Amino acid sequence: MSEIMIKSTPNSPFVNKLHTVNAGQTHSQAPVEATIKIEVDRLNFYYGGNRSLENINMRLKKNHVTALIGPSGCGKSTFLRTLNRMNDLNPTARLEGSVRIDGVDIYGPGTDVVSLRRKVGMVFQKSTPFVKSIYENIAYGLRILGVKNRQQLDRVVEESLKHAALWEEVKDRLDKSALALSGGQQQRLCIARALAMDPEILLMDEPCSALDPTATSRIEELIFQLKNEYTIVIVTHNMQQAARVSDETGFLLMGKLIEFGETTKIFTKPDNSMTESYITGRFG
């Protein structure tokens, strides 16, 4: 463990980032006792005959940010999609074990998958605004659900854009095409679109990978704000980002959860040598 101990000195960039965030963002401090929002037990996941996830056990806390790190192909995105059953769209997909949200097994018989995906919103790696106006990008999902009242739509559009820290930038051009927005604005629009469905959990799959540093910083600050109201799970290749934004971190490798715990500990004194090797850049 000699190298990780050197890297966890007060001059460590990971430690400095963690200390800076915790000192400057009092709302990021975890409560003494946190409610478990998501429970994953003995999860095995298969595409056809290939096992992509093996015996995953994890407890994700309410109003926390959980980061999932690991090299490409380790199963991070596959795991993320098990939390709202997006993998069901692949006919070869099969799951063993259980995923419980608020104590209810989302893979149990009688699960309303549409309602589940409203409760568990998702933001993808590449921003995917609809070829519609900014307003209609937010209102479209509500219209599909049968909401027709213009005042209600106006209220939800405004509230969602404010939650996504985008309202002040677009309030005077809601009728303009969403495709005219910058990349960072488009990603925040997609976050607003997910929030309009009133979820409790927000899944983010590499939400900043295509963004410049300024836009990335805006999204990270937004994550800090959103966790006051939502439980957030983020997949990221950027370990500095994981150190900055998350309360807890899980390291996956070849479909297995190698280590899971408080972010500060994972990045400064991991228990597993493979975690240490990944964080210190020996592979990945």
Side-chain angles (χ1 to χ4, degrees), residues 23-24 40 55 60 84 98 145 177 193 218 241 245 247 250 255 278:
V40 180
N55 197 33
L60 308 184
N84 68 347
S98 67
L145 293 174
S177 172
R193 190 172 66 196
R218 295 292 299 273
Q241 181 174 79
V245 306
D247 300 292
Y278 181 72

Side-chain angles (χ1 to χ4, degrees), residues 244-274:
R244 287 190 297 262
V245 306
S246 68
D247 300 292
E248 296 182 303
T249 297
F251 169 53
L252 284 87
L253 182 66
M254 298 179 66
K256 298 180 181 180
L257 181 63
I258 304 301
E259 189 167 352
F260 179 74
E262 292 185 3
T263 294
T264 305
K265 183 177 185 303
I266 293 291
F267 279 95
T268 59
K269 196 175 180 181
D271 292 328
N272 192 288
S273 61
M274 287 188 287

Side-chain angles (χ1 to χ4, degrees), residues 2-283:
S2 58
E3 183 171 348
I4 195 69
M5 294 304 292
I6 292 172
K7 288 182 177 291
S8 62
T9 63
N11 293 322
S12 165
F14 287 127
V15 176
N16 287 341
K17 286 184 175 66
L18 288 164
H19 287 174
T20 299
V21 167
N22 289 336
Q25 304 287 346
T26 56
H27 56 283
S28 70
Q29 295 174 354
V32 175
E33 292 186 10
T35 302
I36 300 300
K37 186 68 174 179
I38 305 171
E39 301 172 86
V40 180
D41 284 311
R42 299 183 299 279
L43 187 148
N44 292 278
F45 187 83
Y46 302 83
Y47 287 115
N50 298 317
R51 181 159 62 178
S52 299
L53 298 171
E54 182 177 346
N55 197 33
I56 304 291
N57 295 280
M58 199 180 296
R59 301 289 183 272
L60 308 184
K61 296 174 183 176
K62 182 178 180 180
N63 298 118
H64 278 52
V65 179
T66 300
L68 302 174
I69 63 172
S72 297
C74 70
K76 302 186 300 294
S77 294
T78 296
F79 174 77
L80 194 72
R81 290 165 183 254
T82 66
L83 303 181
N84 68 347
R85 294 186 54 168
M86 285 292 289
N87 289 321
D88 288 12
L89 301 175
N90 187 319
T92 69
R94 179 169 60 89
L95 178 141
E96 298 171 348
S98 67
V99 177
R100 294 188 296 277
I101 296 178
D102 295 327
V104 177
D105 188 351
I106 65 172
Y107 286 87
T111 298
D112 184 336
V113 179
V114 174
S115 295
L116 170 67
R117 291 176 187 155
R118 288 183 61 190
K119 184 175 184 175
V120 186
M122 190 160 189
V123 178
F124 297 94
Q125 179 175 2
K126 181 175 173 22
S127 57
T128 54
F130 300 145
V131 187
K132 295 177 179 291
S133 69
I134 295 169
Y135 183 98
E136 285 301 324
N137 263 267
I138 308 300
Y140 181 74
L142 297 170
R143 293 189 195 278
I144 293 294
L145 293 174
V147 178
K148 298 180 180 179
N149 183 281
R150 179 70 187 206
Q151 288 184 327
Q152 182 179 356
L153 291 172
D154 288 349
R155 177 179 56 79
V156 174
V157 168
E158 180 175 347
E159 289 178 354
S160 299
L161 289 170
K162 284 180 175 178
H163 271 74
L166 190 58
W167 174 252
E168 292 299 325
E169 297 171 40
V170 303
K171 64 182 180 180
D172 297 323
R173 47 179 175 144
L174 295 177
D175 60 337
K176 303 300 182 184
S177 172
L179 301 181
L181 298 174
S182 69
Q185 288 174 324
Q186 287 186 11
Q187 192 64 300
R188 279 183 283 149
L189 179 66
C190 292
I191 292 173
R193 190 172 66 196
L195 298 181
M197 306 307 291
D198 195 26
E200 297 176 16
I201 298 166
L202 193 59
L203 309 179
M204 295 183 165
D205 193 355
E206 296 276 6
C208 302
S209 64
L211 304 182
D212 61 48
T214 300
T216 295
S217 179
R218 295 292 299 273
I219 297 292
E220 290 180 0
E221 176 57 29
L222 177 58
I223 290 170
F224 275 117
Q225 297 168 8
L226 290 176
K227 80 168 186 177
N228 291 320
E229 298 182 49
Y230 307 94
T231 300
I232 299 173
V233 188
I234 178 172
V235 164
T236 179
H237 278 94
N238 186 327
M239 286 185 289
Q240 289 90 346
Q241 181 174 79
R244 287 190 297 262
V245 306
S246 68
D247 300 292
E248 296 182 303
T249 297
F251 169 53
L252 284 87
L253 182 66
M254 298 179 66
K256 298 180 181 180
L257 181 63
I258 304 301
E259 189 167 352
F260 179 74
E262 292 185 3
T263 294
T264 305
K265 183 177 185 303
I266 293 291
F267 279 95
T268 59
K269 196 175 180 181
D271 292 328
N272 192 288
S273 61
M274 287 188 287
T275 309
E276 175 194 355
S277 294
Y278 181 72
I279 287 173
T280 56
R282 294 180 199 166
F283 73 95

